Each structure stands twice: as structure tokens, then as C-alpha cells.
Amino acid sequence: MSLLRAAATVSSLTLLSRITGLVRDVMIARAFGASALTDAFWVAFRIPNLLRRLFAEGAFAQAFVPILGQARNEHEAPAVKQLLDRVARTLFLALCVVTLLGVLGAPLVVAAMASGLTGASRASDFEAAVWMTRLMFPYIICMSLVAFASGVLNTWRRFAVPAITPALLNLSMIGASLFLSDFFSRPIYALAAGVMLGGVAQFAVQWWALSRLSLRPQLLGPVGPALQDPLVRRIMRQMLPATLGVSVAQISLLINTNIATWLVAGSVTWLSFADRLMEFPTALVGVALGTVLLPSLTRAHADHDTERYSALLDWGLRLMLLLGLPAAVCMIMLADALVATLFHYGAFSAADVQQTRLAVMAYALGLVGLLSIKILAPGFYAKQDIRSPVKIAIAVLLFTQVLNVFLVPWLAHAGLALAIALGACLNALALLIGLRRKGIYQPAKGWLRFFVQQGLGLAGLAVPLWWAARNVDWLGLQQTPLMRIAALSAVFLVGGLVYFAVLAAAGLRPRHFRRVPSAITVGKTEA
């Protein structure tokens, strides 16, 4: 399977997850609006998500996948299976301990993440956040084991199952909100129950996929041999700096959530819905490319093929810009249309649309930075260099918090989004400079021509978007949702056709991205 086809497979299946996620959020917005209680849910949901990213998608994946790929190349199948057993047991034990501590200490965790809920006037909201946090905390066990399974499946180039299973979480939350709300004293508690059901469903599907490859690990068994295994210890050593690096990003998110709880009620919800829109291009482009690039980069590193290593990064960056820049332009120019079409129903008011729109536009300014990180960071991880991205992440954290000091009093919740966006751009730039200085990445020829071609394409795209933003009353179409959806779809269709038609006229063809360019083309960038 070519890299482009693999990325397209991951992206198309991820699209299903993001669509179901949008349906989920539309239902939440319609039923609950943007209120103190929805803020409490998003705070509670963010806690296990934060730990999931810390243990699973972040530090663990970065440390585990490159070493697993190397072990697969160097050892026989029984030795690889033994490594999987030992890593899974160690991870499972650590997760159980963390989950127990989290359930017992939920009030302290919520107070640390959302101190704005601790006041006497918001005692009911604080209680709700604690209750939902306790219910959802075991979600980290399911999702960390899902990340373990995804790392194995991606290493074996089985990309489809890991890409499609996140949709199960959204479907579970939708089903729970429809059918379980009457069983709880507060209907929104059903969403927390849906999170747990979704976690269990994802775990079951991915474990089944491992079983079909005869790679399902044994979670129960002696932990002593696992802790003495040199490869397990090596993964644990790699996880320490990786955890610090991922923690930096999550600490920034925690601080921003905490600040948002001190702002106007609804601020956390506005940011959460804006973040949901950002997840579309981030997952469809950034995560998809990063997922397929990391195993390929690991293989190129194991083969000491430095030219192909650089060519892989170059291919990823060009494809990311080809798809990421028009997504950013759409989100900035059609923020009103996107938010109104998706969320402006029921309890979600026109004022909520305007506030969410501001966060979307602020986030969109950093979209290319966020996507670039998904391409550039694996350039370090595949070489098992995790310390360099960590140092950059720490500097970016400090930069982001300095920005918050100036932006939040001026722009409120949108200032939090803008600080994250600018921080992402700085992070991506620093990663790029680091890869260049270490000689890991050498830009291939043709970048200047590529920028000119894409600039023309973006100019063509902007024309129909500008017309639609000025001539369509997106809020006024609330009573005719199908017409609003059709209008937005038509604008995107026309814009996409114009964009790719201009690119084609400028000489850019799909064949330029079907395969990684030959390493022979790597050299100095054209002037």
C-alpha cells in the first residue's frame, strides 16, 4: 500500500469518526446549549482525555512504536510477542493505579483543573463535575490499551481498525443521551455513561483485531520479568522525556481550561465546540499523515536510508500544506457559517454562535502550525530523539502563558485560543529549524514553485468564500436547516473545485503526491 493510499484510508475512516463527533456535539448543543452544567461536563471529560493523551497517544506511542518497529525487524515472532505481553502488563498495572487514585481524589483533580467552579455559588456545578469525573476516570484504562493496540496495528500496517474505532465513542454518547437520560438525576450524566461505554467498545474491537493477527497480549501475569526486560525498561526510559513533552502541551490545556472557568459561563463550552471544528482538519490531515509516516520513518532509520527519511518528511509537509492551508482559509472566512450550520439549534443561541465563531477564527490562525507538528515531531521520534521536542515544548508553554497574560483580558476565551494557535506556529517553526540543523531534513527541489502554485489556488478559493460570507445570512437560516446545510455544502464544493482547478492549471497534479519522491531529488531548494 502506497503512503498516499494509506493516508487516504486513515483520513477517510477518521472522517466517519469526526462526522459522528459533530453529530454528538450538535445534539449536546441543541439539548443543553452553553451553560454552567455543560461546562462541568466538558471539564470532567477533559480530565480522562488529558491523561489518555499523556499515557496513550502521547508519551507511550512516541516511545513504543519506534522500539516495536525495531524489535520487529531484529527479532523473531515469539520474542516480539513476549515484548507485547510485558509492555501491556506494565502499562495495565500503571493505569489501574492511576485510575484508583483519580477516582478517590476526583474533588482535588477537578479543583485543580477548574478552580472557577469551587466558589460557593457554583457548588452544584462542582459536584456535577466531580461525579462525572469519577464515572469517566476508568476511561483512561480502555483508551490507553486502545492506543497500545493501535501502535501494534499501525506497525503491522493495519491502519483501518485504529482509524474507525473512535466513531464508537461518539455513537455510544449519542445513544446514551437518547436512551439513558431518564435514568439519571441530571440528564447530562448520561453523556458520562456514554463515554465509558464507548471506551469499552473501542477496547473490544481493537483487542479483537490483535487476536486476528495472533498478537493479543496477556494482561494478567507476573510483572517482575516485564520490569526487568531491557526493551521494556528502554521504553520506560524513553517515556520519561516523552511524558514531560506531552505534559507540557497538556499543562497548557489545563491552564487554559482553568482560566476559562473564571470567564463568563459557557466559555469552556464555546472553546470545546471550536476545538471540535479544529479536530476535523487536524485528524483528517495531520493525524492521518503522522500515523502513516512514523512506521515508514522508523523503517528508513533502521535501514540507515537518510535520503528517503528526508524525502518522507518533505512529502508529508507538501501534502499537509496542500490540504491544510485551504482548510485554514475556510475556517477563517466561513467561521459564522460553520458554527451556525452545525450548532445553531435548540438551546444554542445566536450569541453562542458569535462567541464560538471568535474561538474558531483564533484557532484557525494556528492550524498549519498544529498540522506541521504532526509531520515534524515524528522526524525526531522515529530516531528515538524525544528530548529535542521536549525542550521546544517547554519553551512554547512559557511563550503561550505570556501571551495569555496579554490576550485573555483583551479577547477573553478567544484569547486563550489565539495563544494556543500562536504557540503551535512557534513550536512547528522550532521543530523545522531543529531538523534542518541536525541534517535530518533537507528540503527537496521545487518548493518555490509549489508555494506559487498554492498561492494562486488559495486566491481562487477565497473568491467564493468571500461572496458567501457577505451575501448569505447564516443565522437567519436557522428555521430552514436543510437549506443552510445545502448552501454551505455548495460553497465548499465550488470553493474546492476552484482551488484544485487553479492548482491543475498551474501545473500541480495528483501524481506528484501518489508516491514519496525519489531520494535523488533531495537537494537545495530552488531559488
Side-chain angles (χ1 to χ4, degrees), residues 156-387:
W156 265 255
R157 301 185 67 80
R158 302 296 198 276
F159 298 113
V161 172
I164 199 172
T165 48
L168 297 175
L169 170 66
N170 301 320
L171 293 174
S172 296
M173 292 178 68
I174 292 170
S177 66
L178 290 174
F179 303 112
L180 299 182
S181 296
D182 294 340
F183 294 92
F184 294 93
S185 58
R186 294 179 174 178
I188 202 168
Y189 285 176
L191 294 176
V195 169
M196 276 309 306
L197 292 174
V200 172
Q202 291 181 78
F203 168 74
V205 169
Q206 298 239 37
W207 232 238
W208 168 80
L210 288 181
S211 297
R212 295 197 63 185
L213 294 174
S214 299
L215 294 172
R216 181 169 60 98
Q218 300 295 323
L219 294 178
L220 302 179
V223 182
L227 296 176
Q228 297 301 318
D229 188 301
L231 284 179
V232 175
R233 295 171 69 89
R234 186 174 161 198
I235 292 171
M236 293 171 65
R237 285 196 301 269
Q238 289 285 74
M239 279 190 68
L240 291 177
T243 300
L244 178 58
V246 177
S247 296
V248 170
Q250 298 310 311
I251 288 171
S252 179
L253 180 62
L254 187 153
I255 293 173
N256 283 5
T257 301
N258 204 335
I259 294 172
T261 62
W262 288 95
L263 301 177
V264 177
S267 295
V268 177
T269 302
W270 298 327
L271 285 169
S272 296
F273 286 160
D275 184 62
R276 165 59 60 183
L277 283 175
M278 283 290 292
E279 284 184 2
F280 248 87
T282 302
L284 298 182
V285 180
V287 173
L289 288 174
T291 297
V292 301
L293 274 177
L294 183 55
S296 298
L297 288 169
T298 300
R299 190 176 303 111
H301 176 61
D303 295 338
H304 305 289
D305 191 344
T306 57
E307 291 187 343
R308 177 167 177 79
Y309 198 98
S310 179
L312 284 163
L313 291 173
D314 198 87
W315 174 84
L317 286 172
R318 293 195 193 211
L319 190 55
M320 178 275 297
L321 290 172
L322 181 76
L323 302 175
L325 277 174
V329 170
C330 289
M331 294 184 72
I332 292 171
M333 297 187 70
L334 289 181
D336 267 336
L338 285 166
V339 177
T341 302
L342 294 172
F343 303 121
H344 188 211
Y345 308 100
F348 202 82
S349 67
D352 294 326
V353 170
Q354 294 304 316
Q355 296 297 336
T356 306
R357 160 188 168 272
L358 294 175
V360 170
M361 295 176 69
Y363 273 136
L365 292 174
L367 178 59
V368 170
L370 290 168
L371 295 176
S372 298
I373 293 170
K374 303 294 185 182
I375 308 300
L376 297 170
F380 290 96
Y381 301 148
K383 289 182 173 291
Q384 300 178 32
D385 175 8
I386 298 178
R387 287 178 174 80

